[in-house]
Amino acid sequence: MCTSNFYPSSIFLCYISRRKHLQLTILYMQSSLAEGAVTMGKIIKSESLHLQAYHLIKEAIMEGNLKPAERVVEAKVASTLGTSRGTVREAIRMLTQDGLLIYNDGFVKVYEPTVDDVVDIFQCRESLEVLAIRLAIKNLTDEVKESLAHNLQETKKVKPDSPELGQLDQQFHTIITEASNNGQLINLLEVIKVKTHYMRKSMVGGSFYPSFIEDHEQIYEWMLNGNEEEAANLMSVHIKKALEGVLMHIKS
């Protein structure tokens, strides 16, 4: 039996007139629920229902509304989202591919990471981000340079305990990854980014981000100067330090 109940969010319907046609815009507002209740939105009728279900369930996992090791019951989720079990089944399949849901003892459960999993994911991340920065330097454009410079400027303005710091950290790495122009690499690192964020959230509270601004600034300088080896080596060290910081925080 599922340990949590699902409650649909309240829905606000707003009608907008545009080009003499009435369009329906559905805005979701999360309900104020009792502690322990799982919050999800409702499915909007459209062609990609399974993608909507995928994103809504994923959000519930990433925000901690669905806890690690908690069962995800297909029928209950379908009822909450206002869609079919087939739609939810496809969304669950996609989330198992992402590694956020697993099949365990015949049930679907939210992935519960271990310390070994953290080490594994950071090792993969290190190798892939080193490749990404090598490719990014070869493909470096003025737009990428400006994006990285802006990211560093914004990072310096943020307080050390601000949640925005983590977002800017991820953004810096995402800019470099996308500059690689390698679609497969971008997709792989997106999956790793999601799992890394989930691990931080579920294991260290999501608020822990070690000091990284100095490394980011030096990486940026090496990239501008076209120093591929130096940039790649520092990226490797940078990811290793991030892993050490996370492990230290978990053990403490």
Side-chain angles (χ1 to χ4, degrees):
M1 185 174 182
C2 184
T3 56
S4 295
N5 295 320
F6 290 90
Y7 295 88
S9 300
S10 58
I11 301 176
F12 174 69
L13 300 179
C14 176
Y15 291 91
I16 303 175
S17 177
R18 182 183 179 186
R19 295 182 181 179
K20 299 181 180 180
H21 292 283
L22 195 62
Q23 295 183 328
L24 179 63
T25 302
I26 302 181
L27 304 176
Y28 290 96
M29 300 184 297
Q30 289 188 334
S31 303
S32 298
L33 301 176
E35 184 177 357
V38 176
T39 306
M40 286 191 195
K42 277 281 190 182
I43 287 287
I44 305 171
K45 300 301 181 183
S46 73
E47 295 180 357
S48 56
L49 297 179
H50 68 283
L51 288 178
Q52 293 183 60
Y54 164 80
H55 288 299
L56 289 168
I57 300 169
K58 180 179 178 180
E59 182 180 7
I61 295 171
M62 298 301 291
E63 294 303 316
N65 292 320
L66 284 170
K67 307 297 182 184
E70 183 173 342
R71 281 184 57 190
V72 177
V73 181
E74 186 180 288
K76 286 183 176 290
V77 176
S79 176
T80 298
L81 298 181
T83 190
S84 69
R85 293 182 63 172
T87 295
V88 172
R89 191 176 303 119
E90 177 61 17
I92 288 174
R93 184 192 67 78
M94 294 171 66
L95 286 162
T96 57
Q97 289 182 335
D98 288 350
L100 293 177
L101 293 179
I102 60 171
Y103 288 97
N104 184 269
D105 297 329
F107 301 107
V108 178
K109 295 183 179 181
V110 178
Y111 167 59
E112 184 175 23
T114 65
V115 172
D116 286 342
D117 292 337
V118 174
V119 174
D120 289 347
I121 204 72
F122 270 87
Q123 286 177 343
C124 291
R125 179 186 171 191
E126 179 188 344
S127 296
L128 293 175
E129 290 217 33
V130 166
L131 174 59
I133 198 168
R134 288 184 182 278
L135 294 175
I137 290 173
K138 291 180 172 66
N139 300 316
L140 201 58
T141 64
D142 289 340
E143 183 180 357
V144 172
K145 294 175 185 177
E146 291 173 4
S147 296
L148 290 172
H150 179 72
N151 174 274
L152 292 173
Q153 291 172 359
E154 292 301 309
T155 301
K156 291 177 181 178
K157 299 176 184 177
V158 178
K159 295 181 179 179
D161 59 347
S162 171
E164 190 179 352
L165 193 64
Q167 297 170 7
L168 288 165
D169 178 27
Q170 290 184 6
Q171 184 188 69
F172 181 86
H173 289 270
T174 298
I175 293 169
I176 294 174
T177 299
E178 292 180 349
S180 73
N181 291 337
N182 185 310
Q184 295 298 320
L185 181 59
I186 291 169
N187 290 338
L188 287 170
L189 277 169
E190 177 61 27
V191 173
I192 286 178
K193 181 176 74 173
V194 169
K195 293 194 77 170
T196 301
H197 176 71
Y198 173 66
M199 287 174 175
R200 288 184 186 274
K201 186 95 174 178
S202 62
M203 300 181 80
V204 300
S207 60
F208 174 72
Y209 286 89
S211 176
F212 56 78
I213 183 62
E214 294 84 2
D215 284 354
H216 283 193
E217 288 179 325
Q218 187 59 68
I219 287 171
Y220 174 64
E221 289 299 321
W222 288 135
M223 291 182 70
L224 288 183
N225 296 329
N227 293 324
E228 182 181 323
E229 288 303 318
E230 289 85 350
N233 289 336
L234 182 52
M235 180 64 80
S236 176
V237 171
H238 178 65
I239 301 300
K240 283 186 173 73
K241 287 196 295 187
L243 170 60
E244 290 171 1
V246 171
L247 292 177
M248 185 181 301
H249 199 78
I250 292 173
K251 292 176 181 178
S252 64

